[in-house]
Amino acid sequence: MESKITAIAVYTPEKRINNAYFQQFIETNDEWIVSRTGIRERRFASETQFTSDLCIQAVHNLLAENKNISLEGVDFIIVSTTTADQVMPNTASQIQNAFNIQNCGCLDIMAACAGFVYGLVLAKGMIAAGTHKKILVFGAETLSKFTDFKDRTSCILFGDGAGMALVEPSDKAKIFNAVTGSDGGHGKDLYLSQNNSIVNGEHIEANGKIHQNGKVVFKWAIQTVSGKINELLAKNAMQLEDLDWIILHSANMRIIEGVAGEINYPIEKMLSSIEYCGNTSSASIPLAWDIARKAGKIKPGQKILMLGFGGGLTFAGVIIEV
Ligand code: COA
Protein backbone atom coordinates (compact mmCIF):
# COMPACT_ATOMS: atom_id res chain seq x y z
CA MET A 1 0.00 0.00 0.00
CA GLU A 2 1.37 3.43 -0.99
CA SER A 3 0.88 6.57 1.10
CA LYS A 4 0.50 10.32 0.89
CA ILE A 5 0.31 13.38 3.11
CA THR A 6 -3.30 14.50 2.83
CA ALA A 7 -3.08 17.64 5.01
CA ILE A 8 -0.72 19.62 7.18
CA ALA A 9 -1.30 22.12 9.99
CA VAL A 10 0.80 24.12 12.43
CA TYR A 11 0.59 26.16 15.59
CA THR A 12 3.02 28.74 16.93
CA PRO A 13 2.63 30.37 20.37
CA GLU A 14 1.45 33.99 20.65
CA LYS A 15 4.54 35.38 22.36
CA ARG A 16 6.88 36.99 19.79
CA ILE A 17 10.51 37.45 20.79
CA ASN A 18 12.56 39.87 18.70
CA ASN A 19 16.37 40.02 18.66
CA ALA A 20 16.50 43.10 20.91
CA TYR A 21 15.00 40.97 23.72
CA PHE A 22 18.37 39.21 24.24
CA GLN A 23 20.21 42.50 24.84
CA GLN A 24 18.66 42.58 28.31
CA PHE A 25 20.93 39.77 29.50
CA ILE A 26 23.69 39.03 26.94
CA GLU A 27 25.97 41.14 24.77
CA THR A 28 24.51 40.84 21.29
CA ASN A 29 22.66 42.88 18.69
CA ASP A 30 20.10 42.52 15.93
CA GLU A 31 22.68 42.99 13.18
CA TRP A 32 24.87 40.08 14.45
CA ILE A 33 21.92 37.73 14.85
CA VAL A 34 20.36 38.54 11.46
CA SER A 35 23.64 38.36 9.54
CA ARG A 36 24.96 35.20 11.27
CA THR A 37 21.69 33.23 11.44
CA GLY A 38 18.94 34.87 9.36
CA ILE A 39 16.68 34.99 12.44
CA ARG A 40 14.60 38.13 13.12
CA GLU A 41 12.06 36.72 15.53
CA ARG A 42 10.99 33.50 17.28
CA ARG A 43 7.94 32.46 19.35
CA PHE A 44 8.12 31.32 22.99
CA ALA A 45 5.46 29.19 24.70
CA SER A 46 3.97 30.63 27.88
CA GLU A 47 4.89 29.20 31.29
CA THR A 48 1.77 27.05 31.27
CA GLN A 49 2.01 25.93 27.65
CA PHE A 50 3.85 22.68 26.92
CA THR A 51 4.71 20.67 23.81
CA SER A 52 1.48 18.64 23.87
CA ASP A 53 -0.51 21.91 24.09
CA LEU A 54 1.12 23.16 20.89
CA CYS A 55 0.30 19.85 19.17
CA ILE A 56 -3.32 20.02 20.33
CA GLN A 57 -3.65 23.55 18.94
CA ALA A 58 -2.19 22.33 15.62
CA VAL A 59 -4.92 19.65 15.49
CA HIS A 60 -7.59 22.32 16.14
CA ASN A 61 -6.11 24.31 13.23
CA LEU A 62 -6.12 21.18 11.02
CA LEU A 63 -9.83 20.65 11.70
CA ALA A 64 -10.71 24.35 11.32
CA GLU A 65 -8.88 24.63 7.98
CA ASN A 66 -10.15 21.32 6.54
CA LYS A 67 -13.88 20.89 7.07
CA ASN A 68 -13.74 17.51 5.23
CA ILE A 69 -11.23 16.05 7.72
CA SER A 70 -12.17 14.39 11.02
CA LEU A 71 -10.16 12.44 13.56
CA GLU A 72 -12.40 9.41 13.14
CA GLY A 73 -10.28 6.38 12.27
CA VAL A 74 -6.96 7.88 13.40
CA ASP A 75 -5.10 4.74 14.44
CA PHE A 76 -1.62 6.01 15.30
CA ILE A 77 -0.01 9.19 16.62
CA ILE A 78 3.73 9.78 16.25
CA VAL A 79 5.25 12.81 17.99
CA SER A 80 8.82 13.82 17.25
CA THR A 81 10.13 15.99 20.07
CA THR A 82 13.21 16.48 22.21
CA THR A 83 11.20 18.62 24.60
CA ALA A 84 8.35 16.33 25.64
CA ASP A 85 6.14 17.51 28.53
CA GLN A 86 7.52 14.48 30.39
CA VAL A 87 9.47 11.40 29.33
CA MET A 88 6.51 9.43 30.74
CA PRO A 89 3.61 9.76 29.92
CA ASN A 90 4.49 10.40 26.32
CA THR A 91 3.26 13.44 24.40
CA ALA A 92 1.29 11.35 21.87
CA SER A 93 -0.91 10.00 24.69
CA GLN A 94 -1.76 13.55 25.80
CA ILE A 95 -2.98 14.30 22.27
CA GLN A 96 -4.93 11.02 22.18
CA ASN A 97 -6.63 11.96 25.42
CA ALA A 98 -7.40 15.55 24.39
CA PHE A 99 -9.43 14.31 21.41
CA ASN A 100 -10.58 11.03 22.96
CA ILE A 101 -9.21 9.00 20.03
CA GLN A 102 -9.83 5.31 20.75
CA ASN A 103 -7.71 2.31 19.66
CA CYS A 104 -4.86 4.55 18.64
CA GLY A 105 -1.15 3.69 19.02
CA CYS A 106 0.80 6.49 20.71
CA LEU A 107 4.53 6.91 20.28
CA ASP A 108 7.06 9.69 20.90
CA ILE A 109 10.27 9.51 18.91
CA MET A 110 13.55 11.29 19.61
CA ALA A 111 15.69 12.12 16.62
CA ALA A 112 16.02 15.86 17.33
CA CYS A 113 15.69 18.10 14.24
CA ALA A 114 15.51 15.08 11.90
CA GLY A 115 12.50 13.73 13.80
CA PHE A 116 9.62 14.97 11.66
CA VAL A 117 11.06 13.23 8.59
CA TYR A 118 11.76 10.11 10.70
CA GLY A 119 8.07 10.20 11.66
CA LEU A 120 7.00 10.32 8.00
CA VAL A 121 9.30 7.38 7.21
CA LEU A 122 7.72 5.33 10.03
CA ALA A 123 4.18 6.28 8.94
CA LYS A 124 4.92 5.30 5.33
CA GLY A 125 6.26 1.93 6.53
CA MET A 126 3.24 1.24 8.74
CA ILE A 127 0.84 2.01 5.90
CA ALA A 128 2.94 -0.14 3.52
CA ALA A 129 2.71 -2.99 6.05
CA GLY A 130 -1.08 -2.69 5.97
CA THR A 131 -1.35 -2.39 9.75
CA HIS A 132 -2.46 1.28 9.97
CA LYS A 133 -4.50 3.65 7.82
CA LYS A 134 -4.68 7.10 9.37
CA ILE A 135 -1.57 8.44 11.09
CA LEU A 136 -0.88 11.83 12.65
CA VAL A 137 2.82 12.77 12.53
CA PHE A 138 3.90 15.73 14.66
CA GLY A 139 7.14 17.68 14.95
CA ALA A 140 6.80 19.88 18.04
CA GLU A 141 9.07 21.64 20.49
CA THR A 142 9.20 24.03 23.42
CA LEU A 143 12.95 24.62 23.17
CA SER A 144 12.72 27.89 25.12
CA LYS A 145 12.16 25.85 28.29
CA PHE A 146 15.54 24.12 27.80
CA THR A 147 17.58 27.05 26.50
CA ASP A 148 20.65 28.30 28.36
CA PHE A 149 20.05 32.06 28.32
CA LYS A 150 23.60 32.64 29.55
CA ASP A 151 25.07 31.11 26.36
CA ARG A 152 24.93 33.81 23.68
CA THR A 153 26.04 31.44 20.92
CA SER A 154 22.95 29.24 21.30
CA CYS A 155 20.14 31.10 23.12
CA ILE A 156 19.48 33.43 20.19
CA LEU A 157 18.75 30.47 17.90
CA PHE A 158 15.83 28.59 19.43
CA GLY A 159 12.06 28.97 19.18
CA ASP A 160 8.89 27.02 19.93
CA GLY A 161 6.22 25.62 17.60
CA ALA A 162 4.39 22.58 16.31
CA GLY A 163 3.64 21.16 12.87
CA MET A 164 1.79 18.04 11.83
CA ALA A 165 0.96 15.92 8.81
CA LEU A 166 -1.93 13.53 8.23
CA VAL A 167 -0.61 10.43 6.43
CA GLU A 168 -3.05 8.09 4.67
CA PRO A 169 -3.05 5.31 2.05
CA SER A 170 -2.86 6.32 -1.60
CA ASP A 171 -3.34 4.58 -4.97
CA LYS A 172 -0.22 6.28 -6.27
CA ALA A 173 3.06 6.63 -4.30
CA LYS A 174 3.41 10.19 -3.01
CA ILE A 175 5.93 9.57 -0.24
CA PHE A 176 8.99 8.25 -2.05
CA ASN A 177 12.22 6.54 -0.90
CA ALA A 178 14.01 8.03 2.10
CA VAL A 179 17.50 8.23 3.56
CA THR A 180 18.05 7.90 7.32
CA GLY A 181 21.16 7.80 9.46
CA SER A 182 23.21 9.21 12.28
CA ASP A 183 26.81 10.11 13.15
CA GLY A 184 26.70 9.02 16.79
CA GLY A 185 30.35 9.91 17.24
CA HIS A 186 29.23 13.57 17.26
CA GLY A 187 26.70 13.07 20.09
CA LYS A 188 28.62 15.37 22.41
CA ASP A 189 28.51 18.23 19.88
CA LEU A 190 24.79 18.84 20.42
CA TYR A 191 22.91 17.53 23.44
CA LEU A 192 20.24 18.29 26.01
CA SER A 193 21.61 17.31 29.42
CA GLN A 194 18.63 15.69 31.14
CA ASN A 195 20.56 13.14 33.25
CA ASN A 196 24.03 12.61 34.62
CA SER A 197 25.50 10.22 32.06
CA ILE A 198 28.37 9.50 29.71
CA VAL A 199 28.16 10.41 26.02
CA ASN A 200 31.01 9.60 23.62
CA GLY A 201 33.13 8.69 26.65
CA GLU A 202 32.64 12.08 28.32
CA HIS A 203 30.74 12.82 31.50
CA ILE A 204 27.58 14.93 31.15
CA GLU A 205 26.17 16.73 34.13
CA ALA A 206 22.40 17.21 34.18
CA ASN A 207 21.28 20.84 34.00
CA GLY A 208 18.28 20.55 31.67
CA LYS A 209 19.85 22.80 29.03
CA ILE A 210 20.84 22.48 25.37
CA HIS A 211 24.59 22.54 24.71
CA GLN A 212 26.08 22.89 21.27
CA ASN A 213 29.43 23.09 19.57
CA GLY A 214 28.10 25.45 16.90
CA LYS A 215 31.10 25.51 14.58
CA VAL A 216 31.43 21.70 14.39
CA VAL A 217 27.69 21.23 13.80
CA PHE A 218 27.70 23.97 11.16
CA LYS A 219 30.46 22.33 9.09
CA TRP A 220 29.07 18.82 9.56
CA ALA A 221 25.61 20.00 8.46
CA ILE A 222 26.72 21.55 5.17
CA GLN A 223 28.85 18.54 4.16
CA THR A 224 26.41 15.86 5.30
CA VAL A 225 23.25 17.48 3.99
CA SER A 226 24.71 18.18 0.53
CA GLY A 227 25.84 14.54 0.22
CA LYS A 228 22.53 13.15 1.47
CA ILE A 229 20.50 15.25 -1.00
CA ASN A 230 22.43 13.65 -3.87
CA GLU A 231 22.03 10.19 -2.32
CA LEU A 232 18.28 10.74 -1.92
CA LEU A 233 17.90 11.86 -5.53
CA ALA A 234 19.86 8.81 -6.75
CA LYS A 235 17.70 6.49 -4.62
CA ASN A 236 14.61 7.86 -6.36
CA ALA A 237 16.18 8.05 -9.84
CA MET A 238 15.51 11.80 -9.81
CA GLN A 239 17.55 14.90 -10.66
CA LEU A 240 17.52 18.28 -8.89
CA GLU A 241 15.41 19.53 -11.83
CA ASP A 242 12.63 17.10 -10.85
CA LEU A 243 12.17 18.94 -7.55
CA ASP A 244 9.99 22.02 -7.09
CA TRP A 245 11.20 22.86 -3.58
CA ILE A 246 13.76 21.81 -0.97
CA ILE A 247 12.97 22.20 2.73
CA LEU A 248 15.97 21.67 4.99
CA HIS A 249 15.72 21.89 8.74
CA SER A 250 15.87 25.61 9.59
CA ALA A 251 18.95 25.64 11.82
CA ASN A 252 20.66 28.70 10.37
CA MET A 253 20.06 30.55 7.08
CA ARG A 254 23.79 30.32 6.37
CA ILE A 255 23.60 26.51 6.46
CA ILE A 256 20.74 26.60 3.92
CA GLU A 257 22.72 29.02 1.72
CA GLY A 258 25.85 26.87 2.11
CA VAL A 259 24.02 23.74 0.97
CA ALA A 260 22.38 25.60 -1.95
CA GLY A 261 25.88 26.66 -3.02
CA GLU A 262 27.33 23.13 -2.66
CA ILE A 263 24.62 21.48 -4.76
CA ASN A 264 24.19 24.46 -7.08
CA TYR A 265 20.45 24.93 -6.43
CA PRO A 266 18.59 28.28 -6.55
CA ILE A 267 18.18 29.70 -3.03
CA GLU A 268 14.64 30.96 -3.94
CA LYS A 269 13.57 27.31 -4.13
CA MET A 270 14.85 26.51 -0.63
CA LEU A 271 11.94 27.06 1.79
CA SER A 272 12.57 27.86 5.44
CA SER A 273 10.93 28.99 8.65
CA ILE A 274 14.11 30.48 10.12
CA GLU A 275 13.32 34.22 9.72
CA TYR A 276 10.27 34.46 11.98
CA CYS A 277 10.36 31.16 13.92
CA GLY A 278 14.09 30.64 14.58
CA ASN A 279 15.38 27.08 15.00
CA THR A 280 12.35 25.05 16.12
CA SER A 281 14.05 21.63 15.73
CA SER A 282 11.42 18.97 14.84
CA ALA A 283 8.83 21.64 13.97
CA SER A 284 10.91 23.64 11.50
CA ILE A 285 10.17 21.61 8.34
CA PRO A 286 6.35 21.57 8.64
CA LEU A 287 6.44 25.26 9.67
CA ALA A 288 8.40 26.12 6.50
CA TRP A 289 5.98 24.09 4.39
CA ASP A 290 3.00 25.86 5.95
CA ILE A 291 4.47 29.34 5.44
CA ALA A 292 5.09 28.57 1.74
CA ARG A 293 1.67 26.92 1.38
CA LYS A 294 -0.09 29.97 2.81
CA ALA A 295 1.96 32.24 0.54
CA GLY A 296 0.53 30.27 -2.41
CA LYS A 297 3.93 28.90 -3.46
CA ILE A 298 3.26 25.15 -3.12
CA LYS A 299 0.87 23.70 -5.71
CA PRO A 300 -0.72 20.24 -6.09
CA GLY A 301 1.47 17.81 -8.02
CA GLN A 302 4.72 19.49 -6.99
CA LYS A 303 7.64 17.56 -5.51
CA ILE A 304 9.36 18.59 -2.28
CA LEU A 305 12.59 17.21 -0.87
CA MET A 306 12.63 17.49 2.93
CA LEU A 307 15.75 16.82 4.96
CA GLY A 308 16.19 17.18 8.70
CA PHE A 309 19.46 17.05 10.64
CA GLY A 310 20.44 17.69 14.22
CA GLY A 311 21.34 16.26 17.63
CA GLY A 312 22.65 12.73 17.38
CA LEU A 313 23.91 13.83 14.98
CA THR A 314 20.89 12.40 13.14
CA PHE A 315 19.68 13.01 9.61
CA ALA A 316 16.67 11.92 7.56
CA GLY A 317 15.44 12.95 4.15
CA VAL A 318 12.46 12.09 1.98
CA ILE A 319 10.91 13.29 -1.28
CA ILE A 320 7.14 13.72 -1.40
CA GLU A 321 4.54 14.78 -3.94
CA VAL A 322 1.95 17.25 -2.73
N1 COA B 1 25.95 38.02 19.58
C1 COA B 1 27.10 38.64 19.28
N2 COA B 1 28.28 38.00 19.12
C2 COA B 1 28.26 36.66 19.27
C3 COA B 1 27.09 35.95 19.59
C4 COA B 1 25.91 36.68 19.74
N3 COA B 1 24.73 36.10 20.05
N4 COA B 1 27.38 34.63 19.67
C5 COA B 1 28.70 34.51 19.41
N5 COA B 1 29.22 35.74 19.16
C6 COA B 1 30.61 36.08 18.86
C7 COA B 1 31.58 35.01 19.30
O1 COA B 1 31.90 35.17 20.67
C8 COA B 1 32.74 35.24 18.39
O2 COA B 1 33.49 36.35 18.89
P1 COA B 1 35.11 36.33 18.84
O3 COA B 1 35.44 36.22 17.38
O4 COA B 1 35.46 37.62 19.48
O5 COA B 1 35.50 35.12 19.61
C9 COA B 1 32.09 35.69 17.09
O6 COA B 1 30.77 36.13 17.44
C10 COA B 1 31.97 34.59 16.08
O7 COA B 1 31.49 33.43 16.75
P2 COA B 1 31.30 32.09 16.01
O8 COA B 1 30.97 31.02 17.00
O9 COA B 1 32.46 31.88 15.08
O10 COA B 1 30.00 32.40 15.19
P3 COA B 1 29.41 31.60 14.00
O11 COA B 1 29.45 32.45 12.80
O12 COA B 1 29.96 30.20 13.94
O13 COA B 1 27.89 31.47 14.44
C11 COA B 1 26.34 29.87 15.34
C12 COA B 1 27.53 30.76 15.62
C13 COA B 1 25.96 29.10 16.57
C14 COA B 1 25.19 30.76 14.89
C15 COA B 1 26.72 28.91 14.19
O14 COA B 1 27.92 28.26 14.50
C16 COA B 1 25.68 27.87 13.91
O15 COA B 1 24.60 28.18 13.45
N6 COA B 1 26.01 26.59 14.13
C17 COA B 1 25.15 25.47 13.83
C18 COA B 1 23.99 25.51 14.71
C19 COA B 1 23.05 24.43 14.37
O16 COA B 1 22.89 24.11 13.23
N7 COA B 1 22.45 23.89 15.38
C20 COA B 1 21.42 23.00 15.36
C21 COA B 1 21.52 21.92 14.42
S1 COA B 1 20.01 21.26 14.56
Side-chain angles (χ1 to χ4, degrees), residues 26-29 32-33 36-37 113 152-154 156-158 190 212-215 217-218 221 249 251-252 254-255 279 281 309-311:
I26 54 166
E27 212 183 308
T28 191
N29 56 73
W32 191 96
I33 299 174
R36 292 295 182 120
T37 71
C113 317
R152 70 173 181 163
T153 67
S154 69
I156 46 102
L157 297 172
F158 302 123
L190 180 52
Q212 123 169 314
N213 188 345
K215 273 192 197 312
V217 178
F218 191 94
H249 162 51
N252 183 327
R254 287 193 297 133
I255 293 180
N279 177 344
S281 188
F309 55 90

Side-chain angles (χ1 to χ4, degrees), residues 186 189 213-221 313:
H186 278 297
D189 289 320
N213 188 345
K215 273 192 197 312
V216 171
V217 178
F218 191 94
K219 275 195 193 142
W220 171 90
L313 295 171

Side-chain angles (χ1 to χ4, degrees), residues 271-314:
L271 305 174
S272 105
S273 51
I274 194 80
E275 196 173 5
Y276 291 101
C277 299
N279 177 344
T280 53
S281 188
S282 289
S284 88
I285 289 177
L287 286 175
W289 180 346
D290 193 68
I291 292 166
R293 180 177 74 98
K294 287 179 178 150
K297 289 185 178 177
I298 297 178
K299 310 239 161 35
Q302 289 189 334
K303 289 197 178 67
I304 308 176
L305 182 152
M306 297 187 275
L307 202 147
F309 55 90
L313 295 171
T314 54

